């Protein structure tokens, strides 16, 4: 599945090299090009019904996300072949850019990753919520309330940072609460991290959450993890 | 700190939790917890933390304040800035100079095992 941005002539040579290398490695398949205003869901699902077992997203994080949105079953394997400017997913998955990714594809190291779901919408990386007061409810077990201004990230899979390394294969999501604190020299944050399987976040007002780069409006957000919901090809240099 | 079997839970400074916090992995509390705290891993309570709860952990290191009873199956350490109001059952106890401890202390492996047996009987 080629991203529409790859229609630019500057990618012609690299794509030709990739196609040659894939042929050398014995990897053959149908090539489809994403158009700017066409969703790949029907295209991909038709191909899966026709017997396709692996869908390769050639492009970047956005391309991969669109393919993942279309692949809802647990049997089909998804891969990213990074070409052009990248977000963070290629590095997290251990996929080198361009022709070098073909050999990683050929090695076919498949990992089963967890997928998060917020209000019925799936996400692979994270959800960000800020700009409002909120309370966090873990069933009937406990309620969490920030005592000062805070932002929330619900993370499944991301590069290690001040919240540490979160594993996308542990059957849990992580709730990360950041409370900024300011000193004379630099701004820092108190960071909390709570692993969970299901959680409910009630906001004081309607806000826009960012779900893997997409926007989701809401006042209440219900989260759950779907363990091992996504089969992804990874490289040895993966960050988990 | 030895690691429990699950991922670490961190309650940051400025966060308040009310209810039952049960975890498989280690717990770090820098904020406020009111209710109960139970982990199969280790517990660390920071110097600005306030825990009003009954607690159970494998090992515990405390720099802040606890109001409640605590059962520690291994080592329970109170650092100089800590304040403990409640009963303690533990195998090994270390109290730093300046730490405040108000409550009953029961120690030794037999006491901890006896407490575990009593709880198992209650549950059945």
């Amino acid at each position: 599945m080629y991203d529409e941005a790859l229609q630019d002539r500057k990618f012609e040579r690299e794509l030709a090299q990739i196609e040659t290398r894939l042929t050398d490695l014995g990897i053959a398949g149908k090539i489809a090009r994403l158009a700017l205003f066409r969703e790949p869901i029907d295209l991909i699902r038709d191909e899966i019904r026709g017997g396709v077992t692996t869908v390769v997203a050639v492009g970047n994080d956005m391309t991969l996300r669109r393919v993942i949105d279309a692949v809802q079953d647990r049997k089909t394997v998804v891969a990213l072949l990074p070409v052009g400017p990248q977000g963070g997913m290629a590095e997290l998955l251990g996929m080198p850019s361009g022709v070098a990714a073909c050999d990683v594809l050929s090695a076919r190291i498949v990992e089963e990753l967890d997928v998060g779901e917020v209000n019925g919408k799936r996400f692979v990386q994270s959800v960000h919520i800020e700009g409002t007061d909120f309370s966090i409810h873990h069933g009937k077990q406990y309620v969490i309330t920030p005592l000062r201004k805070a932002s929330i990230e619900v993370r499944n899979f991301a590069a290690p940072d001040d919240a540490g390394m979160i594993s996308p294969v542990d059957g849990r999501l992580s709730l990360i609460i950041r409370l900024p604190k300011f000193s004379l020299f630099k701004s820092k944050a108190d960071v909390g991290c709570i692993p969970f399987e299901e959680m409910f976040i009630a906001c004081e007002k309607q806000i826009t959450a960012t779900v893997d780069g997409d926007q989701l409006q809401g006042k209440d957000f219900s989260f759950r993890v779907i363990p091992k919901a996504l089969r992804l090809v990874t490289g040895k240099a993966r960050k988990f | 700190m030895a690691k429990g079997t699950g991922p670490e839970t961190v309650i940051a400074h400025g966060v308040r939790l009310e209810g039952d916090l049960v975890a498989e992995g280690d717990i770090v509390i820098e904020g406020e917890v009111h209710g109960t705290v139970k982990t199969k891993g280790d517990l660390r309570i920071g110097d600005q933390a306030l825990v009003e709860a009954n607690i159970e952990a494998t090992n515990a290191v405390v720099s802040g304040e606890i109001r409640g009873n605590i059962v520690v199956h291994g080592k329970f350490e109170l650092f100089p800035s800590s304040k403990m109001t409640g009963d303690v059952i533990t195998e090994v106890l270390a109290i730093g100079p300046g730490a405040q401890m108000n409550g009953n202390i029961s120690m030794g492996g037999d006491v901890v095992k006896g407490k575990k047996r009593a709880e198992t009987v209650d549950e059945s």
Side-chain angles (χ1 to χ4, degrees):
Chain A
M1 191 69 55
Y2 282 27
D3 192 90
E4 59 263 11
L6 300 180
Q7 288 173 25
D8 193 313
R9 290 195 68 175
K10 67 182 177 187
F11 295 112
E12 239 177 68
R13 191 158 169 258
E14 191 174 10
L15 289 175
Q17 287 173 339
I18 287 170
E19 284 168 21
T20 304
R21 183 66 187 143
L22 288 174
T23 307
D24 291 344
L25 290 166
I27 299 172
K30 185 174 176 180
I31 293 175
R33 296 176 195 281
L34 291 175
L36 192 58
F37 299 107
R38 194 173 79 195
E39 284 304 317
I41 289 180
D42 294 330
L43 179 63
I44 292 171
R45 287 184 183 170
D46 282 343
E47 294 298 327
I48 291 171
R49 269 193 288 271
V52 156
T53 56
T54 305
V55 180
V56 180
V58 183
N60 57 21
D61 291 16
M62 283 300 298
T63 328
L64 179 63
R65 244 179 257 137
R66 290 170 80 185
V67 168
I68 289 171
D69 281 346
V71 174
Q72 294 278 315
D73 66 280
R74 289 167 193 245
K75 288 186 202 161
T76 306
V77 175
V78 177
L80 170 65
L81 202 161
V83 176
Q86 295 297 308
M89 280 298 275
E91 192 182 346
L92 288 173
L93 294 172
M95 297 300 291
S97 201
V99 178
C102 300
D103 290 77
V104 178
L105 269 182
S106 172
R108 208 173 163 84
I109 302 172
V110 177
E111 290 287 344
E112 291 181 324
L113 268 62
D114 302 330
V115 167
E117 190 181 85
V118 56
N119 292 0
K121 185 177 171 69
R122 288 184 163 206
F123 64 94
V124 178
Q125 290 186 273
S126 61
V127 177
H128 290 259
I129 295 174
E130 56 188 288
T132 181
D133 291 333
F134 49 80
S135 59
I136 299 151
H137 303 255
H138 187 260
K140 290 182 182 170
Q141 277 191 287
Y142 58 77
V143 177
I144 293 172
T145 316
L147 299 175
R148 59 181 201 268
K149 192 174 162 71
S151 65
I152 298 175
E153 180 189 348
V154 175
R155 182 183 290 183
N156 179 49
F157 184 29
D161 59 8
D162 55 0
M165 178 63 212
I166 309 292
S167 170
V169 295
D170 62 356
R172 293 179 182 92
L173 299 174
S174 288
L175 172 74
I176 298 166
I177 306 175
R178 288 189 176 85
L179 304 102
K181 55 183 185 183
F182 298 96
S183 68
L184 275 176
F185 302 104
K186 56 180 178 175
S187 53
K188 298 190 287 183
D190 288 310
V191 182
C193 183
I194 300 158
F196 69 93
E197 291 167 17
E198 286 186 17
M199 191 86 82
F200 181 78
I201 297 175
C203 299
E204 197 185 52
K205 58 183 183 185
Q206 185 93 352
I207 53 120
T208 303
T210 307
V211 182
D212 276 358
D214 289 338
Q215 314 238 301
L216 179 69
Q217 298 269 353
K219 191 164 172 289
D220 298 329
F221 297 92
S222 181
F223 287 89
R224 72 177 183 118
V225 68
I226 309 170
K228 299 187 179 183
L230 178 63
R231 302 185 74 204
L232 268 177
V233 173
T234 62
K236 286 182 187 171
R238 64 185 178 276
K239 302 273 192 242
F240 62 92
Chain B
M1 252 184 3
K3 292 289 173 191
T5 56
E8 188 175 77
T9 298
V10 178
I11 308 296
H13 177 60
V15 171
R16 180 188 171 103
L17 184 149
E18 289 181 69
D20 302 327
L21 176 59
V22 178
E24 297 283 323
D26 299 338
I27 297 178
V28 176
I29 301 175
E30 302 281 359
E32 286 183 30
V33 175
H34 305 263
T36 60
V37 177
K38 193 169 177 178
T39 175
K40 292 180 183 173
D42 297 340
L43 171 67
R44 187 172 88 229
I45 296 176
D47 58 5
Q48 294 181 295
L50 168 62
V51 180
E52 281 186 327
N54 289 332
I55 299 168
E56 184 173 349
T58 300
N59 299 296
V61 171
V62 180
S63 302
E65 183 169 0
I66 298 177
R67 298 175 198 161
N69 301 324
I70 186 165
V71 175
V72 177
H73 299 277
K75 185 177 179 184
F76 180 41
E77 250 184 289
L78 285 167
F79 276 24
S81 56
S82 63
K83 231 170 142 181
M84 170 78 206
T85 309
D87 297 339
V88 175
I89 296 176
T90 185
E91 179 140 7
V92 175
L93 176 64
I95 304 180
Q100 294 182 37
M101 172 70 218
N102 292 290
N104 296 315
I105 300 172
S106 304
M107 290 181 60
D110 290 343
V111 177
V112 178
K113 282 183 195 143
K115 167 82 177 135
K116 249 184 154 168
R117 257 199 308 276
E119 278 178 0
T120 312
V121 166
D122 283 342
E123 281 164 16
S124 63

